[in-house]
Amino acid sequence: MAKKTVDEMSFLDHLEDLRWHLIRATLGVVVAATLAFIFKKFIFDVIIFGPTVMTFPTYQWLCQASEFLGMTDTTFCAEKLPFIIQNRTVAGQFSAHIWTSIYAGFIISFPYVLYQLWSFISPGLKPNERKNSRGFLVVASLLFFIGVLFGYYIITPLSLNFLANYQISEQIQNEFDVSSVIAIVRSSAIASGFVFELPIIIYFLTKVGLVTPKILKQYRKFALVIVLIVSAIITPPDIASQVIVAIPILILYQISIYISAIVVKNQSRKSSRANKN
């Protein structure tokens, strides 16, 4: 039996098609999560707990930078971070293993998940729209992975270093629960991955007419305030850390303005050509 075209498909047919795309995307995550589960030692000892030791590359760079600038703060040059990681529940380590594998599976399989969603959406686009969006999967996946790396190598070590060295009393020793440490690494990486999708989001919002370059420029000051607030929430409360996080987000916002302007310009050309014909 021949496959129905998009115009011939009913609402229930579309739901059925979406269901199968979601099933395939879920299977992709499960396969990647299974691999992450198997390579437990690498996932935890190298990746998750990497930012908890002072040999982590970010601490080395920040130590060299602080020494070059003659800063007296030696927190980035210490031998080790002043905390230990503990498990306080019976099933804590097993639960951490399962959930970390699932999140790792999602990150690894993100391009495939995106491909499944795109395969569902793209048949409803016009041929020229599909042609113009040809590099969508590559660009969106690349931005996501860059964001994940930024969250992992910048936000995570800055947060851990600050929180580990923060004290309200010398009588209190830091004994962090394993789930708390994993949550910082996970949330920093995944949240940054989605934040770096901003240019893609702006591209599609501009295509459907919800956003224009004029609006983005008009609200640039408000965007700056929001970015600084977000930076203050997800990083330690010191100016240097907030600036380090805020700069790439502001650059992404500026790139989004240029992308929006290009989309509007192309749409204007097409409408003028259509009017001439």
Side-chain angles (χ1 to χ4, degrees):
M1 185 176 176
K3 188 177 179 180
K4 294 181 180 179
T5 63
V6 175
D7 294 333
E8 294 173 339
M9 293 173 68
S10 66
F11 177 72
L12 291 178
D13 290 331
H14 282 294
L15 285 180
E16 179 67 12
D17 187 39
L18 176 61
R19 185 173 75 91
W20 280 107
H21 282 297
L22 291 176
I23 289 173
R24 284 191 283 268
T26 302
L27 287 174
V29 174
V30 169
V31 171
T34 302
L35 291 173
F37 187 87
I38 293 170
F39 293 99
K40 172 181 68 175
K41 188 173 181 62
F42 176 77
I43 293 294
F44 283 94
D45 291 347
V46 178
I47 297 179
I48 298 296
F49 299 136
T52 65
V53 294
M54 294 307 294
T55 54
F56 193 66
T58 305
Y59 298 133
Q60 301 292 314
W61 300 333
L62 291 172
C63 177
Q64 292 173 7
S66 61
E67 288 177 346
F68 177 77
L69 296 172
M71 297 171 64
T72 56
D73 185 9
T74 59
T75 55
F76 294 121
C77 301
E79 292 184 4
K80 65 177 183 177
L81 290 169
F83 70 88
I84 61 172
I85 302 174
Q86 292 188 342
N87 173 53
R88 301 178 186 276
T89 58
V90 175
Q93 293 197 56
F94 181 71
S95 178
H97 191 188
I98 293 291
W99 282 107
T100 300
S101 298
I102 292 172
Y103 283 109
F106 173 76
I107 293 173
I108 294 168
S109 63
F110 182 79
Y112 181 72
V113 173
L114 204 61
Y115 169 74
Q116 288 300 327
L117 294 176
W118 181 248
S119 297
F120 173 73
I121 296 170
S122 59
L125 301 177
K126 297 177 182 178
N128 63 323
E129 290 176 333
R130 283 198 295 270
K131 182 180 178 182
N132 293 334
S133 305
R134 190 176 297 169
F136 164 74
L137 291 174
V138 175
V139 174
S141 299
L142 184 62
L143 286 173
F144 178 77
F145 287 128
I146 291 174
V148 168
L149 291 174
F150 178 79
Y152 179 70
Y153 280 103
I154 303 299
I155 296 178
T156 298
L158 286 175
S159 300
L160 278 175
N161 187 277
F162 171 79
L163 295 172
N165 286 284
Y166 187 83
Q167 281 187 310
I168 56 174
S169 172
E170 292 184 358
Q171 299 180 41
I172 301 174
Q173 301 297 319
N174 284 329
E175 298 177 355
F176 297 156
D177 190 77
V178 62
S179 61
S180 179
V181 175
I182 292 173
I184 286 181
V185 179
R186 179 188 67 225
S187 59
S188 298
I190 294 179
S192 296
F194 284 118
V195 167
F196 271 62
E197 295 291 333
L198 180 63
I200 299 293
I201 296 170
I202 294 298
Y203 171 81
F204 283 106
L205 290 178
T206 305
K207 290 284 286 185
V208 298
L210 293 177
V211 168
T212 64
K214 184 178 179 181
I215 291 174
L216 293 174
K217 291 177 181 177
Q218 183 179 351
Y219 289 98
R220 192 180 349 222
K221 293 180 181 178
F222 297 102
L224 174 61
V225 174
I226 292 171
V227 167
L228 291 175
I229 292 173
V230 172
S231 301
I233 292 172
I234 64 178
T235 61
D238 63 89
I239 298 300
S241 299
Q242 292 173 22
V243 169
I244 289 172
V245 173
I247 286 176
I249 299 177
L250 291 174
I251 292 173
L252 286 171
Y253 188 84
Q254 188 61 42
I255 291 173
S256 299
I257 294 175
Y258 290 133
I259 290 173
S260 181
I262 292 171
V263 172
V264 170
K265 187 176 181 181
N266 290 337
Q267 288 178 336
S268 299
R269 281 182 187 169
K270 289 176 183 177
S271 68
S272 62
R273 287 175 185 172
N275 292 331
K276 288 179 181 178
N277 295 332

